[in-house]
Amino acid sequence: MSRFKLGLIGAGKIVRDQHLPALRQTPALQLAATADPYASLDGVPGFHDMDAMLDAHPDIEAVSICTPSALRFETARAALLRGRHVLLEKPPGATLSEVEALTELARHQRVSLFAAWHSRFAPGVARAKAWLANRRIDRVHIEWKEDVRVWHPGQAWIWQPGGMGVFDPGINALSIATAILPAPFFLRHARLWVPENVQAPIAAKLDFVDTQGGAIAADFDFRQTGAQTWDIHVESDGHSLSLTQGGCRLAIDGEMVLGEKEQEYRGLYRHFAELIETERSEVDIAPLRHVADAFLYGYREMTEAFIE
């Protein structure tokens, strides 16, 4: 496989925690520079914006866009117009229309576009998908609860329109569910709890049904303290499957069959390199569509103000 030079757009918490360690373990990609007006990485050339980065490093072939979702469209569009391959952190855009426009532009430019649902690369997801492939689903319970103060400290953008609130982590659960469940599913009821001083929900309960009548319930909450919960439990034909710890642990009929450490972003970047090498794009908007449906169809209930 060829080695491609890559630029990171954004140098914030998610980049430092996840992207940078994964890139160090991905021989097919070489981090050449970053673009962020407020932050930089030690030992890596840093620039105020992407255009300055690409002007200084014309050999950069791909960019990974890790800005808040409301800023991604213009950045991704500019990168595609300059002939660069693009990885979009999740969610791939603030709206479905934006992502569809980028997909068409990438096709026209003949470069790769990757909507990078990192949770799909958790160790247990592929095996869960294979086990469920030919089964009828009876019930699914998704519980995705974490502490926003731990994962998004001081990040006011997450509470603004486009920031998605609790759907920022919740979309990770939906990205796994849309990958592993064998039949499409559709929203039937949604309840969103929105703090009185922000624009995005802090908790949500969603009820879906699939095309075979299977019931899928999701419970998202940004107010969890102590142990964090990222679990999906599936009942099918008298059997059970549980993906826990965000997909790192897999149990079938109560027996643990897989328990590994998180390695999502390493798999994600390896896949991006493969897409570039084979001149392909991969843009699945199903998880974002489910979030859009929740905002469109959900009942909103005001709750107490969020104070960090």
Side-chain angles (χ1 to χ4, degrees):
M1 178 179 285
S2 303
R3 195 178 197 204
F4 304 99
K5 290 191 175 181
L6 178 137
L8 279 170
I9 315 302
K13 186 177 189 301
I14 189 65
V15 166
R16 297 168 187 274
D17 291 351
Q18 301 291 350
H19 291 259
L20 188 58
L23 282 167
R24 288 171 176 161
Q25 300 178 64
T26 309
L29 295 171
Q30 177 187 351
L31 177 58
T34 65
D36 189 313
Y38 308 109
S40 60
L41 301 176
D42 292 341
V44 181
F47 296 86
H48 186 268
D49 58 46
M50 184 186 69
D51 284 334
M53 181 187 75
L54 294 179
D55 288 343
H57 292 268
D59 56 342
I60 288 177
E61 299 156 274
V63 297
S64 179
I65 300 178
C66 308
T67 64
S69 58
L71 305 177
R72 287 182 193 153
F73 176 74
E74 292 299 339
T75 305
R77 184 175 183 276
L80 293 170
L81 287 171
R82 294 189 64 158
R84 269 51 176 203
H85 309 286
V86 173
L87 180 152
L88 295 166
E89 244 289 11
K90 63 86 187 171
T95 69
L96 295 167
S97 298
E98 287 183 354
V99 184
E100 290 169 351
L102 292 176
T103 302
E104 182 58 33
L105 180 58
R107 185 181 299 113
H108 181 267
Q109 294 293 102
R110 298 185 177 181
V111 293
S112 297
L113 179 65
F114 180 31
W117 302 108
H118 62 82
S119 290
R120 289 181 173 177
F121 293 87
V125 171
R127 289 184 64 174
K129 179 179 180 179
W131 190 83
L132 291 167
N134 298 310
R135 295 177 180 272
R136 179 187 177 95
I137 302 303
D138 297 320
R139 282 174 294 278
V140 180
H141 181 232
I142 301 169
E143 189 175 12
W144 223 258
K145 299 178 179 180
E146 61 182 54
D147 189 343
V148 65
R149 294 176 175 87
V150 171
W151 298 99
H152 296 280
Q155 296 178 11
W157 60 266
I158 206 165
W159 299 113
Q160 300 305 313
M164 298 206 307
V166 75
F167 286 104
D168 180 81
I171 204 171
N172 295 333
L174 294 171
S175 75
I176 295 176
T178 50
I180 67 173
L181 296 179
F185 54 91
F186 310 97
L187 186 68
R188 288 295 175 259
H189 303 282
R191 195 174 188 90
L192 315 179
W193 284 266
V194 182
E196 60 187 15
N197 61 332
V198 301
Q199 297 297 311
I202 199 167
K205 288 185 181 292
L206 313 175
D207 292 304
F208 304 89
V209 64
D210 71 15
T211 53
Q212 304 300 315
I216 301 153
D219 188 357
F220 302 152
D221 205 315
F222 240 166
R223 300 167 294 191
Q224 181 93 326
T225 59
Q228 310 287 274
T229 306
W230 303 295
D231 298 344
I232 299 177
H233 304 285
V234 184
E235 296 178 27
S236 172
D237 299 325
H239 298 276
S240 66
L241 177 146
S242 292
L243 270 175
T244 58
Q245 295 185 6
C248 290
R249 296 170 66 87
L250 173 65
I252 295 175
D253 291 334
E255 180 180 351
M256 188 65 61
V257 297
L258 179 70
E260 296 185 9
K261 293 182 178 180
E262 177 185 332
Q263 51 183 317
E264 298 171 4
Y265 279 83
R266 184 171 62 179
L268 181 149
Y269 272 109
R270 287 178 177 174
H271 190 58
F272 185 39
E274 291 170 359
L275 291 174
I276 297 172
E277 181 78 19
T278 56
E279 300 180 345
R280 294 180 294 128
S281 290
E282 187 174 299
V283 186
D284 180 10
I285 61 173
L288 183 59
R289 185 186 295 115
H290 283 304
V291 172
D293 286 350
F295 277 99
L296 180 67
Y297 200 42
Y299 175 84
R300 289 163 175 79
E301 181 175 325
M302 300 301 293
T303 189
E304 62 185 14
F306 173 78
I307 307 296
E308 187 161 6

